[in-house]
Amino acid sequence: MIAASASSRADDLVNAAQPERTIAEETVVQEKGRLSARRRSFARLATHPDPAADALLRAQFDLYRSHDLPPALWLDLFEAMAKRGSAEFKAQLAEREERLAKSPDPLRRFEECLEGGDGEQGRAVFEKKPEAGCVRCHSMDGKGGQVGPDLAWLRHNTERAHILESILLPNATIATGFNSVALKLKNGETVAGVVRGESAVDITLASFTDGKRSTVKLAKVVERTPLPSPMTPAFGQVLSKRAIRDLVQFIAEGD
Ligand code: HEC
C-alpha cells in the first residue's frame, strides 16, 4: 500500500514535469487557436524542454516581422523568447528594442503594452502594487484616492494610446481640471497641490499625498507657479511591460 502510494506520487511528479503538449500540438494551437489559447501556449513554450520550441517561436517572430502576428500576442512572444534565452533570440530582441528606441515617438518602445493585457491582474497592480501606487491618487468607480481623476470614465471611452501615454508620459497632456500649482503666500509659506476649484476670491487645492482639500484666499497669494503632474514620469522603468499592459487593459475595459 505504502509503496504503491509512494510510486503514484512519483508518477505525479514526473507528469507535472512533463510538458502539457508536444511541439506538434503547440503548433496547432498557434495556427488555429484563439488569442487566449495562443497566449497560454507562449507561456508553455518559454520553458518547453523540446528544443523544437525555438523553431516554433522563430516562426512566430517571422509573423511578427511581416505584420501577421496580432498585437495582443507581441509581449507574450517576446517574453517567451527572452526566457528561452538563446543568443539568437537575445540579439533579435535587442535589435528590436534599439530600433524602437530610435523612434521619435517614445511610446513606440511600449507598443506591445497596448493590447492583450489581463484586466484582473491590472486591478491588482492598480490597487496593491506599491511601486504603482495608483489607488493612492486615483479612484475607480468611487473607490480610492482623490488626488487625480476617477479613472472609471475612461472605460470604453478612450483610446488605449491615451491611457498608455498618461501612464508613461504624464506631462504630455494634463487631464482637464487637474493642473498642479505652487502658491507662494504673503506670510512666506508655500502651498502646492492639484487645483480642484477656483472662484474670484479663493482657490481649492488637493494635497499631492492624500488628496485632502484646502482652500486659500487669492488675496493671500503673491506668486503662482505651474507644476508638472504629480505622477512620476518613471513608471516605464519601475513597472514591467506586463504590469503596464495589464493596467492599460484594466483602465480601458475593467476586469
Ligand atoms: C501622486 C498621485 C498620482 C499617482 C501615484 C498616480 N497618478 Fe495618475 N494622475 C494623477 C493626477 C493629478 C492626474 C491628472 C494630471 C495629469 O494628467 O497628469 C493623473 C492622470 C492620470 C491619467 C489620465 C486621466 C485622464 O483623464 O486623462 C491616467 C490614465 C492615470 N493618471 C493613470 C495612473 C495609473 C495607472 C497610476 C499607477 C501606475 C497612476 N495614475 C498613479 C495623480 C497620480
Side-chain angles (χ1 to χ4, degrees):
M1 253 337 256
I2 291 169
S5 82
S7 89
S8 76
R9 212 173 303 137
D11 283 348
D12 285 345
L13 282 176
V14 170
N15 289 337
Q18 271 174 0
E20 283 176 51
R21 286 172 199 189
T22 64
I23 294 300
E25 288 166 336
E26 298 289 9
T27 305
V28 174
V29 174
Q30 289 300 342
E31 280 170 2
K32 306 218 166 80
R34 295 206 225 175
L35 289 180
S36 53
R38 294 180 71 182
R39 204 170 288 128
R40 287 193 298 275
S41 163
F42 279 126
R44 288 190 299 269
L45 289 168
T47 55
H48 203 295
D50 188 336
D54 285 344
L56 180 49
L57 289 174
R58 194 176 299 124
Q60 297 295 316
F61 193 67
D62 288 343
L63 289 180
Y64 160 74
R65 283 214 273 227
S66 59
H67 308 285
D68 293 317
L69 187 74
L73 296 175
W74 291 354
L75 181 62
D76 304 274
L77 169 65
F78 303 151
E79 284 186 353
M81 289 168 67
K83 216 163 183 179
R84 290 200 76 79
S86 69
E88 174 200 354
F89 285 168
K90 277 190 191 158
Q92 281 169 326
L93 294 174
E95 186 275 325
R96 174 180 174 271
E97 285 278 332
E98 268 166 42
R99 188 167 37 81
L100 296 187
K102 284 192 203 124
S103 162
D105 175 0
L107 295 179
R108 276 302 298 283
R109 273 187 57 232
F110 291 88
E111 62 187 8
E112 63 268 44
C113 301
L114 285 169
E115 305 274 343
D118 177 327
E120 243 172 82
Q121 292 296 326
R123 178 186 282 281
V125 174
F126 191 88
E127 291 181 351
K128 303 204 180 97
K129 204 173 176 64
E131 306 91 289
C134 319
V135 78
R136 179 165 71 75
C137 292
H138 291 286
S139 44
M140 244 325 173
D141 301 310
K143 196 177 125 223
Q146 303 292 325
V147 183
D150 186 314
L151 298 182
W153 78 274
L154 294 172
R155 199 178 302 140
H156 305 303
N157 200 22
T158 195
E159 297 281 328
R160 282 164 183 256
H162 168 74
I163 297 174
L164 185 65
E165 182 189 72
S166 301
I167 296 172
L168 297 174
L169 304 169
N171 291 297
T173 47
I174 295 290
T176 315
F178 287 86
N179 291 299
S180 296
V181 285
L183 304 175
K184 204 167 148 199
L185 307 183
K186 273 184 182 156
N187 66 4
E189 262 180 57
T190 302
V191 290
V194 182
V195 181
R196 299 302 294 123
E198 186 165 2
S199 73
V201 287
D202 54 28
I203 179 166
T204 301
L205 301 183
S207 144
F208 292 138
T209 44
D210 58 11
K212 232 175 117 193
R213 310 267 173 126
S214 55
T215 299
V216 177
K217 291 257 173 290
L218 287 175
K220 290 187 184 167
V221 176
V222 289
E223 203 181 306
R224 180 174 178 150
T225 317
L227 292 180
S229 170
M231 269 174 81
T232 170
F235 281 134
Q237 286 99 66
V238 299
L239 298 175
S240 68
K241 284 191 168 169
R242 183 161 283 265
I244 294 169
R245 187 176 75 163
D246 292 343
L247 275 173
V248 169
Q249 178 70 27
F250 171 57
I251 295 169
E253 293 197 11
D255 55 358

